[in-house]
């Protein structure tokens, strides 16, 4: 039982830390988003939703190139790779 209680406590602490990080990311007034190796959105804060003019549930999992076709892929790829 002690091991189970410790696992539950550790899990609860991890959830609290995750929620705190999300709270901090959401409070940032700059546009903040993350992309995976395939250039797909993995996270957007509220300011990024406003910047892209679409809710995050429409963007997460989609390629930035498909979501924002007006972006110059070559320029952005070079800037992000630097």
């Amino acid at each position: 039982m002690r091991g189970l209680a410790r696992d539950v406590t550790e899990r609860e602490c991890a959830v609290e830390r995750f929620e705190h990080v999300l709270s901090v990311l959401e409070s940032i007034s700059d546009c903040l988003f993350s992309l995976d190796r395939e250039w797909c959105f993995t996270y957007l804060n509220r300011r990024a939703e406003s910047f892209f003019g679409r809710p995050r549930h429409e963007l997460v999992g989609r390629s930035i190139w498909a979501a924002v076709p007006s972006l110059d892929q070559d320029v952005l790829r070079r800037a992000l790779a630097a």
Side-chain angles (χ1 to χ4, degrees):
M1 288 300 276
R2 288 183 188 182
L4 179 61
R6 185 173 21 134
D7 288 346
V8 170
T9 301
E10 289 174 3
R11 205 169 290 133
E12 288 173 349
C13 288
V15 168
E16 287 177 14
R17 286 191 302 270
F18 179 75
E19 289 173 348
H20 176 71
V21 169
L22 282 180
S23 174
V24 170
L25 294 175
E26 287 299 319
S27 72
I28 295 172
S29 60
D30 291 329
C31 173
L32 176 70
F33 62 92
S34 62
L35 304 169
D36 65 15
R37 291 178 181 222
E38 281 74 42
W39 300 92
C40 293
F41 289 101
T42 59
Y43 174 78
L44 297 94
N45 69 356
R46 287 186 199 121
R47 180 64 183 106
E49 285 181 301
S50 176
F51 177 79
F52 289 111
R54 297 171 57 198
R56 70 184 82 182
H57 73 269
E58 288 184 9
L59 296 171
V60 170
R62 292 193 63 203
S63 161
I64 192 170
W65 315 122
V68 191
S70 62
L71 287 176
D72 184 331
Q73 291 187 27
D74 293 332
V75 171
L76 186 59
R77 285 179 198 255
R78 282 194 304 270
L80 293 175

